[in-house]
Amino acid sequence: MTSWFTGFLPFGWAWFIATIIDILVIALPLMLAVAMIIYADRKIWAAMALRRGPNVVGPLGLLQSFADGLKVFLQETIIPSAANKGLFLLAPIITFTVALIVWAVVPFQAGVVLANINVGLLYVLAASSLGVYGIIIAGWASNSKYPFYSALRAAAQMVSYEVSIGFVLISVVLWAGSFNLSTIVEAQKGLWGGWLNGFGFNPLLFPMAVVFLISSMAETQRAPFDLTEAESELVAGYQTEYSSMSFALYWLGEYANVILMSALNAVLFWGGYLAPINVWWLNWVPGIIWLFIKIWCFFFIFSWVKATVPRYRYDQLMRLGWKVFLPLSLFWVFLVSGFLMWTRVGFGS
């Protein structure tokens, strides 16, 4: 696109305008997807509880999310008198922004990525780690007991599971030989005699795919790991003092993070934009369609778990992160690296 604009603009302006258009092409459909995914989430919960879910606003209730958005937009933004006003308003903006910036390195199809950087996976880790600041700042700036407890929980929870996620990703990087997400997707081609695409079909990496899926639920504070907003203990956690659009930004940021984690599960372990089975008639389907199908499958798993699995106690949450996932993922790094030394390099060399 930059080359097209350089026909009548200086290169600097051509690059700038092309980049802004690329960002909007990703961000605007993502906003629409967040609205629709909230509707889908409620429909899945309703189906599992033998209810109908949203069915009044628009055909089949499809406009329910937009009605809810209009409702919170028209509400008054109430800031507690004892709160730190600047940080109180900044916190939801941080959460929402961080949920968007990671999409810059996600490959939607071969060659279709906003920023195809060599350290894309490190960028994902760095940017996603910033999300905890939105929750911690909200808990502290609210100057209220329950939000502050929630902020402390969020800090401990996200650190605990980011450690194991880091070791899981080391196994992926070792196998793919690159931090670039497009290269990682291409490295998943042709497993089991060339028939299957995806590290998840590799018996040595499948356990790490499961660990990453469960850790991504904890990272996004989804049930059964939603200890940061446990309504029976903390009213609404870090969101307790928020209303109107500031509350809506947290709501949108949560679902944008869920979609992002679903995309990362698909890209890192299940072939991303590649067809799951390497046959000619499946390869005709555009890669972006395969990516969306896989994202939807993982989002369904997120909703399924939230609708059926009871919330963990906090000690259970910490034990799973530090005593199960951390040693398991660390051991798997040694296992994968040893296997690769044996098969690719050879111990005798």
Side-chain angles (χ1 to χ4, degrees), residues 27-279:
L28 295 181
L30 182 61
M31 294 298 95
L32 180 62
V34 167
M36 289 294 98
I37 221 77
I38 294 173
Y39 166 79
D41 209 15
R42 295 174 66 180
K43 276 292 190 182
I44 292 169
W45 299 344
M48 293 190 178
L50 299 180
R51 296 182 288 104
R52 295 184 64 187
N55 59 81
V56 175
V57 185
L60 303 177
L62 284 169
L63 300 180
Q64 182 65 56
S65 295
F66 299 100
D68 292 340
L70 179 63
K71 179 184 70 175
V72 296
F73 180 75
L74 296 176
Q75 287 177 342
E76 179 185 1
T77 300
I78 299 173
I79 301 176
S81 58
N84 184 315
K85 184 176 180 180
L87 292 178
F88 185 84
L89 295 176
L90 179 65
I93 297 173
I94 292 175
T95 300
F96 181 68
T97 305
V98 168
L100 295 181
I101 60 175
V102 182
W103 286 92
V105 296
V106 174
F108 293 92
Q109 202 163 325
V112 182
V113 56
L114 179 61
N116 193 26
I117 56 178
N118 291 331
V119 289
L121 201 53
L122 290 179
Y123 172 83
V124 169
L125 277 174
S128 60
S129 299
L130 296 175
V132 68
Y133 287 105
I135 297 175
I136 292 175
I137 291 173
W140 184 85
S142 296
N143 199 15
S144 179
K145 177 174 60 176
Y146 289 131
F148 187 65
Y149 287 161
S150 173
L152 295 179
R153 284 186 175 188
Q157 178 173 332
M158 295 186 79
V159 167
S160 301
Y161 283 87
E162 277 174 4
V163 173
S164 58
I165 284 177
F167 284 125
V168 168
L169 297 182
I170 289 175
S171 299
V172 173
V173 170
L174 285 172
W175 202 282
S178 174
F179 283 96
N180 182 280
L181 291 181
S182 298
T183 306
I184 291 174
V185 171
E186 294 297 325
Q188 299 178 51
K189 281 184 176 178
L191 299 177
W192 294 101
W195 285 101
L196 299 176
N197 299 323
F199 286 150
F201 297 113
N202 184 332
L204 199 56
L205 291 178
F206 177 76
M208 292 298 95
V210 176
V211 171
F212 186 80
L213 175 61
I214 298 173
S215 298
S216 60
M217 293 180 187
E219 187 76 3
T220 53
Q221 290 99 39
R222 290 280 289 191
F225 306 109
D226 54 342
L227 275 299
T228 57
E229 47 186 291
E231 68 281 348
S232 58
E233 308 159 26
L234 302 178
V235 185
Y238 59 90
Q239 307 173 39
T240 301
E241 304 293 347
Y242 282 90
S243 62
S244 187
M245 282 306 295
S246 54
F247 176 80
L249 286 178
Y250 272 120
W251 193 245
L252 293 173
E254 175 187 338
Y255 277 92
N257 273 320
V258 170
I259 298 174
L260 173 65
M261 282 299 176
S262 299
L264 291 179
N265 273 280
V267 167
L268 295 174
F269 289 100
W270 300 99
Y273 53 76
L274 301 175
I277 303 174
N278 202 16
V279 292

Side-chain angles (χ1 to χ4, degrees), residues 316-334:
Q316 294 173 325
L317 175 78
M318 291 291 107
R319 184 172 68 244
L320 181 65
W322 289 108
K323 293 186 176 181
V324 179
F325 284 176
L326 177 59
L328 179 63
S329 57
L330 182 57
F331 169 74
W332 229 261
V333 171
F334 287 101

Side-chain angles (χ1 to χ4, degrees), residues 303-346:
S303 295
W304 182 9
V305 169
K306 183 165 185 175
T308 55
V309 180
R311 181 181 293 128
Y312 271 37
R313 293 197 316 266
Y314 199 74
D315 63 298
Q316 294 173 325
L317 175 78
M318 291 291 107
R319 184 172 68 244
L320 181 65
W322 289 108
K323 293 186 176 181
V324 179
F325 284 176
L326 177 59
L328 179 63
S329 57
L330 182 57
F331 169 74
W332 229 261
V333 171
F334 287 101
L335 188 64
V336 169
S337 57
F339 179 80
L340 293 175
M341 282 290 293
W342 179 41
T343 56
R344 296 183 183 179
V345 180

